[in-house]
Amino acid sequence: MGWPTEEPVDPASVLDEIKAVRREGLTRLRELDVPLLRRAASTASEPTTLAWPIAVERTLRAAVDLLGEGDLREAAERSLGLSPALRGRPAADRRRLAAGVYGVSVERFRKSQEAEVLGQVAEQVCWIAAVGTAGVPRRTGGRAAGLPSPELQHRLVELRGGGAAARIVLHVHPVELVRGVDVVVAPTNTHLVLPGTYKASSSAALRRAAAVRGPSGIVLRDPLQEGLTAWRERHGIPHGPVEPGTVVPTEAGALAGMGVRRVYHAAVAIPRAGSNDYDVLPHDVAAAASGVLALLAQEAPASDPPLRSVCFTLLGAGRGGLPVEESVSALWPAMAAVAAGGREVHLVTRRPAAAGAVLRVLGGRRVEEAGEPSAYRCSRVAEGAR
């Protein structure tokens, strides 16, 4: 069941329901009258039956994810209680935390930014439900645009040449869901300070997933930040930034349960003084990628079993503001070298639009292998892709 094309749905009507969710919270979804959100959820997934509140929450999460990295998404997550530990918080607390993203008062946020934030979520819900602002259907194959089907969550890039073949697997899902990859490469800032676990970035997600928790869920250890701090101490750099492009290895903490053995932190984001913004330069991303190669060559044979696979995130393409195309181009030489060396190479992004940009960039590349030009092609991964 989708949106009926003869009855266009104004995003403002969806916005009214989203505002009700903001006021009452996700824990009271079942008590709310939200027919448009329920219909959007049924369009984007299997029939919702009695589990419709779960489907509605997943649809809201998908809509917020489509906002991309940045303040808009972070404020939406806090406002709607989609951030960790905020699910059951009162509306006033969530609004205050959302206002903090923009550094404004609660009243200023309520009168200004909140309407923009929730309005954008409403637009994305309509898009997910295959309707534009004019009610034009955008469904493909019975699924809503923007929500990749399971078989499209991985794409395979095959490189051929010199009688050999190498592969790069592109993941289209959150980085913390990567399984069975020895090393995950994540961006960080040049001060080696990870974002809070309540943030929306890939580094925050990895820090959250790597945390070692007790039976009650309380964090007992913060392995990623602890590892970065210990690295500073070992290298005699107690304060200040490191050189852009520096790569720091840490243990994986609880990510070991997903098969991840190491996390390589690539210092590519240079904090902009007096703001919450960063600058990321393509040559720093390229330098970090080369650093990953060097570190992998050093650690791989010393590990038991040897490290055989590495997963890159799109370094700098989030809060750093680097276009996806530039991030991929900067990473490409290192990824090609790792693949040509016989190791598994993975690249992960949670945004389908970014995945499309990645495939377009890779589609124009050539790789020299064993002295011969290597063409490569993209195809859907059949089975066994991580």
Side-chain angles (χ1 to χ4, degrees), residues 64-65 67-78 200-201 350:
V64 170
D65 283 347
L67 297 178
E69 300 282 350
D71 291 345
L72 194 66
R73 187 174 86 179
E74 188 174 341
E77 288 180 324
R78 294 187 183 188
S201 67
R350 68 187 303 165

Side-chain angles (χ1 to χ4, degrees), residues 320-346:
L322 196 66
V324 171
E325 293 81 358
E326 293 189 27
S327 177
V328 177
S329 295
L331 290 171
W332 173 248
M335 290 194 300
V338 174
R343 292 190 174 94
E344 292 181 29
V345 182
H346 302 253

Side-chain angles (χ1 to χ4, degrees), residues 23 33 47 51 72 84 91 118 121 143-144 147 164 183 194 202 239 242 271 295 358-359 361:
R23 287 193 303 270
D33 182 22
L72 194 66
L118 298 182
V121 177
R143 293 186 60 87
L147 291 179
V183 179
L194 297 179
S202 58
H239 306 290
V242 298
L295 189 57
V358 169
L359 291 173
V361 171

Side-chain angles (χ1 to χ4, degrees), residues 30 50 91 117 180 182 192-193 225 241 259 261 266 280 309 316 336 367 376:
R30 188 173 291 279
L50 294 177
V117 169
D182 292 330
L192 302 183
V193 177
Q225 186 60 65
R261 298 162 62 193
V280 178
S309 55
V367 179
Y376 78 89

Side-chain angles (χ1 to χ4, degrees), residues 189-349:
N189 57 63
T190 53
H191 289 262
L192 302 183
V193 177
L194 297 179
T197 55
Y198 52 84
K199 295 279 190 175
S201 67
S202 58
S203 294
L206 283 172
R207 182 181 186 181
R208 185 165 60 245
V212 177
R213 302 174 185 272
S216 64
I218 296 176
V219 174
L220 304 178
R221 288 189 55 225
D222 185 7
L224 302 194
Q225 186 60 65
E226 291 168 3
L228 291 173
T229 301
W231 183 90
R232 274 183 168 280
E233 294 173 353
R234 288 196 305 272
H235 289 79
I237 313 174
H239 306 290
V242 298
E243 285 294 316
T246 299
V247 180
V248 178
T250 68
E251 64 170 286
L255 287 169
M258 304 284 280
V260 177
R261 298 162 62 193
R262 302 288 280 168
V263 177
Y264 288 179
H265 304 266
V268 296
I270 305 171
R272 196 178 300 166
S275 76
N276 293 320
D277 299 323
Y278 299 91
D279 291 315
V280 178
L281 302 176
H283 65 76
D284 290 335
V285 172
S290 295
V292 169
L293 281 179
L295 189 57
L296 191 61
Q298 174 186 331
E299 289 199 338
S303 302
D304 186 20
L307 302 175
R308 298 293 303 168
S309 55
V310 59
C311 180
F312 290 86
T313 54
L314 288 172
L315 301 181
R319 287 291 299 276
L322 196 66
V324 171
E325 293 81 358
E326 293 189 27
S327 177
V328 177
S329 295
L331 290 171
W332 173 248
M335 290 194 300
V338 174
R343 292 190 174 94
E344 292 181 29
V345 182
H346 302 253
L347 183 64
V348 63
T349 176

